[in-house]
Amino acid sequence: MTDRPLTRHTIFQTSLMTALLDGIYEGDMTVGELLGKGNFGIGTFDGLDGEMVIVDGVCYQVRHDGSATRADLEACSPYAVATNFVPRIRRKAPENIRRSELSEFIDGMTPSENYMYALRITGHFSNVKTRTVVKQEKPYRPMTEATDEDEEQNFNDISGVIVGFRTPIYEKGISVPGCHVHFIDDERRVGGHVLDFTLTEGEIELCPGTDLELRLPLDSGFSKANLDPEDLDEQLHKTEVKD
């Protein structure tokens, strides 16, 4: 690959991360519509009813116990990111590498920090630590409170795929800056939002994105949401990193 993306490529997103942080948990886009925007992606479902993983054109719903099932095409999402995954950059991952180390390795694969990248890691993991949001009931609480109920799972000696996006810092608030990734096993039975992992062996693929298609909700909740919180960094750290 050259020092710039080979071709223009669109990444689609519905709603904003700041809206999700503010408790806007209902969307107007169905899974079926979302799959029309891409065969690869992540997100969540109405009421924070689990984590979304889209891989190979199929959308999976991972619930609070870590179990994964095919999502209903009529289910709606308050926040999701999707694209048609076209791997432009491939590397064999170093053996027995942890997430913290792999982030630096992935940074070295990218020709520029200023583009978006869809990220797929396929391989065998000695351990994957995940968490999954628990379905919320109205009146919805801010996400920093809702994620206090997250359930963590540890999967050992497992093969699967990590799906997600590496997002530039200037998209903070629109999306989650850095690597935001979800996991699902090869059997498509378990998964969740990735907190940590050790990759025994595997392959890393990147799909550079040059264009962002952003769809904003039309409901009154979004219209009144606080999309510029003063403690945005702290909220993102608490809900996404969870350490």
Side-chain angles (χ1 to χ4, degrees):
M1 184 172 179
T2 64
D3 62 353
R4 61 181 181 178
L6 297 174
T7 185
R8 302 205 73 84
H9 189 92
T10 299
I11 291 175
F12 171 84
Q13 181 173 316
T14 180
S15 195
L16 305 173
M17 188 62 199
T18 47
L20 203 64
L21 290 171
D22 202 46
I24 309 303
Y25 299 153
E26 293 184 353
D28 58 5
M29 187 170 202
T30 67
V31 167
E33 291 176 302
L34 185 60
L35 289 174
K37 297 293 186 178
N39 60 9
F40 178 96
I42 59 175
T44 187
F45 297 87
D46 276 2
L48 295 187
D49 190 13
E51 307 289 343
M52 177 187 292
V53 183
I54 301 174
V55 62
D56 297 330
V58 180
C59 182
Y60 298 91
Q61 184 171 10
V62 184
R63 299 189 185 276
H64 66 275
D65 62 354
S67 63
T69 57
R70 281 201 180 203
D72 187 334
L73 293 178
E74 295 302 314
C76 288
S77 172
Y79 175 84
V81 188
T83 193
N84 285 310
F85 193 85
V86 182
R88 301 288 184 183
I89 307 170
R90 289 188 180 93
R91 297 285 189 279
K92 182 179 179 181
E95 294 182 359
N96 299 310
I97 190 167
R98 296 196 60 181
R99 177 177 181 167
S100 58
E101 302 165 328
L102 194 59
S103 294
E104 184 177 351
F105 182 83
I106 292 170
D107 287 345
M109 292 173 58
T110 63
S112 171
E113 295 180 354
N114 297 331
Y115 293 104
M116 303 165 284
Y117 297 89
L119 165 66
R120 181 168 64 192
I121 305 171
T122 306
H124 187 80
F125 301 80
S126 60
N127 175 266
V128 182
K129 180 180 180 181
T130 69
R131 63 89 169 150
T132 305
V133 289
V134 177
K135 185 178 181 181
Q136 300 296 298
E137 303 294 337
K138 293 181 177 179
Y140 295 133
R141 300 170 294 167
M143 196 174 178
T144 52
E145 297 178 22
T147 53
D148 285 339
E149 300 173 355
D150 285 0
E151 294 196 16
E152 294 187 2
Q153 305 287 335
N154 280 283
F155 305 110
N156 298 313
D157 192 23
I158 190 168
S159 294
V161 57
I162 285 176
V163 172
F165 295 86
R166 181 193 180 280
T167 303
I169 189 66
Y170 60 76
E171 275 198 54
K172 181 169 63 175
I174 296 175
S175 190
V176 180
C179 289
H180 180 194
V181 292
H182 293 178
F183 171 79
I184 192 165
D185 73 321
D186 281 349
E187 301 299 322
R188 308 298 191 244
R189 292 180 180 175
V190 297
H193 173 100
V194 175
L195 297 177
D196 200 3
F197 61 80
T198 300
L199 177 63
T200 306
E201 58 180 357
E203 182 180 59
I204 305 166
E205 298 173 299
L206 296 177
C207 171
T210 59
D211 299 16
L212 176 64
E213 180 184 350
L214 181 61
R215 168 173 158 160
L216 300 179
L218 297 176
D219 63 274
S220 59
F222 180 85
S223 299
K224 299 173 183 177
N226 176 14
L227 303 179
D228 187 28
E230 293 182 358
D231 61 343
L232 177 57
D233 288 342
E234 289 79 2
Q235 289 191 45
L236 287 171
H237 187 86
K238 186 177 188 296
T239 57
E240 302 304 317
V241 181
K242 297 284 286 182
D243 62 6

